[in-house]
Amino acid sequence: MDAQGRRRADNIDPADQWVLNPNTGEYELRLAPSGAQSGVPRPRRGSPSAATRTRSAPGRDRGAPGRDREREAPGRDREATGPDVPGPRRRRAEPPEPLPGRRRGRTKPPKKSKAKKILLWTGGTMALVLVAVSGAAYAYLKHLEGNVHTEDVGGSAKAGFSKDEAFNILIIGTDKRTGAGNEGYGDKNSVGHADTNILLHVSKDRTNATAMSIPRDLIVDIPECRTKQEDGTEKIIRPSENVRFNTSLGQEERNPGCTMDTVKAVTGITVDHFMMADFNAVKTLTTAVGGVDVCLAKDVNDADSHLKLSAGEHTIEGEQALAFVRTRHSFGNQGDLDRIKVQQQFIGSLMRKMSSSDTLTSPTKLYKLAEAATSALTVDTGIGKVDTLKDMALELKKVPTKNITFTTVPVIDNPAEKVHATVVVNPNTAPAVFDAIKNDVSFTAVKQKEKKEKAAVAARLKGSRSAASDIRVDIYNGGAQAGSAQETLNWLQNDEGVLKSSQLGNADAPLSKTTLEYSPDQADQARKLADLLGLSGSAMKPGESEKNSQGLPAIVLTLGKDFKGAGVPLTA
């Protein structure tokens, strides 16, 4: 037997040497036809020796349920066994597989499919990839964390960040000239004052946010604050009275915690955390997102900031973006309050760009943004970890950009100055704004309510008008100059044809604004009278009228302190 034959014989599965005898219904041993079994002669076809070599297949239980049905073997097997030679009885428990070429009836142990092998290999590879990616992601997060600068401001900031509460962040832009290319901005010798300040309030339900700018030239009292020194000791910095807000940082070695304490002293609002950036942040962040879109109403050529832009739309970044937010001599009254408005619009545009699909779906932009943001920021230790900053950013991302309201601390010119250079908090209007933020009131909801109210007020002037001769009106003086009611009566009767009018003296209580009260069935008369007097829809008060001297319903016209004279429109 040649070597090839031996190899084939050695590779034959013993189970393949058992075949079914159709005459007996038993399985019988059949050796390889080429004499592959070493030392065992091949049985001759039809010889008795073939029958004597039959035996039972091991391990098969005849009575076991579900055993294989007997199948008829091909004719060659019948011929090899001999039609008249019965083989010995054997159990049918485990029929071995037939010889190669006759395996249709065998039960071979199942092999793992290619698909399963591929899944196993893919799963193992994927696990290794995930481990590698997770390791790389962790390493990158640690790298970003190393970019962030932190400053311990003690009890001025919270120790951590909560996802389930409203939160207030003080965003501080300093005028400290660090980095190349910033020589032309800010005070050359500045220690880093609080030049741009925005208190960002994010509502508890994340449906809205309020960004309130605090003017750097706002006159305030800075409370006593404590700062930690490099050697771990604490320094107490004495309070200052009637000073600019921007000196709450940098001056006398004050840190951002002192600025946070000053905000609370002025507004009553507790600040949870701070984020501080210098001029470089504007350049790097705008470059990372591919520029910020701005629109100018007129050409700008500012010699101080070196900003030169034509009227219309522009996309600005880097040095040009910094010049834009630093410019004040080319906008409005060339003061800080007008520059604040420009900065608010710029920040709004930057936030829209950062949250746009173009940025969020671009790995390159996201990488640049992460690097720029973390490198540009100094934050308190309570939010100094990248995971915490990420959580905070995701919470802020829940707020629709359309529901972010920009406002400014209500102020008036400093009455102590002849030449107005600073401002003070407006005692009449500021408390309502501060209380709204403290109580987590949505400025968006307030604006929407005001919008609806304005629409309803404007609707009062829409509709038909009666003839002037049909108007019945009683006139009262509610704070206008003496004689105004009689003057108005004469004018209405003699010049405008409102003959059914009466002058009834002074009102029960003075009013700041002129009002027109009428019943629903007098709406057409009220609209005509409002046209004659030059009244806005807000002066019209739908409700009830009164009875005139004849007992007929009459409109009630009460002249308030805003009355300018008969025939002079109040809307002028």
Side-chain angles (χ1 to χ4, degrees):
M1 183 170 61
D2 58 13
Q4 184 176 0
R6 282 194 303 272
R7 282 195 300 269
R8 284 195 302 267
D10 293 340
N11 290 332
I12 294 176
D13 187 340
D16 291 343
Q17 297 172 332
W18 293 87
V19 295
L20 179 69
N21 186 334
N23 294 325
T24 63
E26 302 290 343
Y27 283 88
E28 301 171 354
L29 180 65
R30 289 289 182 270
L31 299 180
S34 59
Q37 294 290 338
S38 178
V40 181
R42 177 184 178 187
R44 293 175 183 172
R45 186 175 293 181
S47 67
S49 59
T52 60
R53 290 190 180 91
T54 61
R55 64 181 178 85
S56 297
R60 182 82 171 184
D61 185 358
R62 178 186 297 268
R67 64 180 181 271
D68 295 339
R69 292 184 178 182
E70 296 174 2
R71 289 178 293 191
E72 191 169 303
R76 202 168 72 169
D77 290 337
R78 180 188 299 271
E79 188 178 309
T81 309
D84 300 324
V85 184
R89 302 292 295 179
R90 59 180 295 278
R91 290 180 299 171
R92 301 181 187 179
E94 291 183 358
E97 297 178 357
L99 287 171
R102 297 182 178 90
R103 298 186 180 182
R104 296 174 65 184
R106 68 190 177 99
T107 55
K108 194 172 181 180
K111 293 184 179 180
K112 291 177 180 176
S113 67
K114 278 188 176 182
K116 288 184 178 179
K117 288 181 180 179
I118 291 173
L119 284 174
L120 287 173
W121 277 103
T122 305
T125 306
M126 184 59 71
L128 291 174
V129 170
L130 288 174
V131 169
V133 169
S134 299
Y138 177 79
Y140 184 61
L141 284 176
K142 285 300 178 184
H143 161 71
L144 292 177
E145 204 162 283
N147 288 347
V148 180
H149 305 282
T150 60
E151 186 162 353
D152 189 353
V153 294
S156 297
K158 284 187 175 180
F161 172 72
S162 174
K163 297 180 182 179
D164 303 320
E165 298 176 353
F167 59 92
N168 300 313
I169 305 173
L170 181 62
I171 302 170
I172 306 171
T174 74
D175 58 358
K176 192 172 184 178
R177 299 191 324 181
T178 57
N182 297 328
E183 294 81 5
Y185 304 101
D187 182 2
K188 181 178 181 180
N189 300 314
S190 175
V191 292
H193 293 125
D195 192 57
T196 299
N197 310 277
I198 298 175
L199 179 61
L200 178 64
H201 170 80
V202 181
S203 68
K204 183 176 181 178
D205 60 8
R206 308 300 188 247
T207 60
N208 65 93
T210 303
M212 182 176 68
S213 294
I214 304 172
R216 66 174 189 173
D217 295 329
L218 178 68
I219 297 300
V220 298
D221 293 337
I222 300 175
E224 176 184 288
C225 62
R226 301 170 181 267
T227 62
K228 288 193 174 182
Q229 307 300 299
E230 292 182 359
D231 59 2
T233 61
E234 194 174 62
K235 179 181 178 180
I236 300 176
I237 302 175
R238 60 183 176 81
S240 297
E241 296 180 353
N242 293 320
V243 294
R244 279 180 165 88
F245 180 88
N246 67 341
T247 59
S248 63
L249 176 68
Q251 202 81 4
E252 300 183 28
E253 299 183 7
R254 292 189 177 99
N255 66 10
C258 299
T259 310
M260 297 169 71
D261 294 343
T262 304
V263 171
K264 184 175 182 180
V266 173
T267 66
I269 301 169
T270 300
V271 183
D272 302 318
H273 303 285
F274 83 88
M275 292 182 177
M276 184 170 65
D278 57 18
F279 292 157
N280 289 322
V282 177
K283 295 195 287 188
T284 56
L285 286 174
T286 54
T287 302
V289 297
V292 174
D293 300 326
V294 299
C295 185
L296 298 176
K298 62 178 184 178
D299 295 345
V300 172
N301 189 356
D302 194 312
D304 293 324
S305 68
H306 310 295
L307 178 67
K308 188 175 182 180
L309 288 173
S310 61
E313 297 180 2
H314 299 273
T315 300
I316 57 176
E317 62 179 80
E319 195 73 35
Q320 196 175 39
L322 178 58
F324 184 86
V325 298
R326 293 296 302 163
T327 295
R328 68 172 176 171
H329 296 296
S330 297
F331 302 125
N333 296 322
Q334 302 185 11
D336 191 49
L337 294 179
D338 289 301
R339 182 171 66 172
I340 284 175
K341 295 177 183 178
V342 173
Q343 290 174 346
Q344 289 176 346
Q345 294 171 12
F346 178 86
I347 292 172
S349 183
L350 175 60
M351 293 179 71
R352 286 191 294 272
K353 194 66 175 285
M354 290 172 68
S355 61
S356 69
S357 58
D358 289 343
T359 300
L360 297 179
T361 57
S362 170
T364 303
K365 286 186 178 180
L366 283 176
Y367 171 81
K368 290 180 179 179
L369 185 58
E371 290 288 341
T374 53
S375 299
L377 290 177
T378 298
V379 301
D380 60 271
T381 52
I383 55 173
K385 293 188 177 297
V386 168
D387 281 343
T388 307
L389 290 172
K390 176 203 68 177
D391 291 342
M392 184 176 289
L394 291 176
E395 292 303 304
L396 183 57
K397 187 178 181 295
K398 294 177 182 179
V399 180
T401 53
K402 66 178 181 180
N403 290 348
I404 299 177
T405 301
F406 286 91
T407 188
T408 303
V409 171
V411 296
I412 56 175
D413 289 329
N414 187 355
E417 295 176 336
K418 292 183 178 179
V419 178
H420 298 303
T422 60
V423 292
V424 296
V425 172
N426 187 329
N428 297 321
T429 56
V433 174
F434 300 157
D435 287 343
I437 294 175
K438 278 193 295 185
N439 297 319
D440 199 23
V441 174
S442 168
F443 276 67
T444 304
V446 170
K447 287 167 61 179
Q448 290 174 345
K449 182 180 178 181
E450 290 176 348
K451 188 176 181 180
K452 289 181 180 179
E453 289 177 349
K454 287 182 179 179
V457 166
R460 295 171 190 169
L461 292 172
K462 295 179 180 179
S464 61
R465 267 77 168 162
S466 70
S469 58
D470 293 333
I471 299 174
R472 290 188 297 271
V473 57
D474 290 341
I475 307 168
Y476 293 87
N477 190 330
Q481 190 174 0
S484 295
Q486 185 62 47
E487 179 188 357
T488 302
L489 176 66
N490 295 337
W491 171 73
L492 286 175
Q493 290 183 341
N494 299 327
D495 296 349
E496 300 299 335
V498 182
L499 303 177
K500 301 173 184 177
S501 52
S502 304
Q503 189 272 109
L504 300 179
N506 294 330
D508 295 335
L511 298 177
S512 60
K513 294 184 179 296
T514 298
T515 61
L516 199 64
E517 298 178 68
Y518 57 96
S519 60
D521 60 348
Q522 293 174 305
D524 57 343
Q525 297 180 36
R527 285 190 285 266
K528 178 62 176 180
L529 189 56
D531 291 344
L532 297 175
L533 295 168
L535 297 177
S536 66
S538 61
M540 302 175 68
K541 306 296 180 185
E544 295 181 1
S545 59
E546 66 179 13
K547 300 293 184 181
N548 65 6
S549 57
Q550 288 81 36
L552 298 174
I555 296 172
V556 179
L557 172 62
T558 306
L559 306 178
K561 294 179 181 180
D562 62 339
F563 184 73
K564 299 177 181 179
V568 180
L570 291 178
T571 54

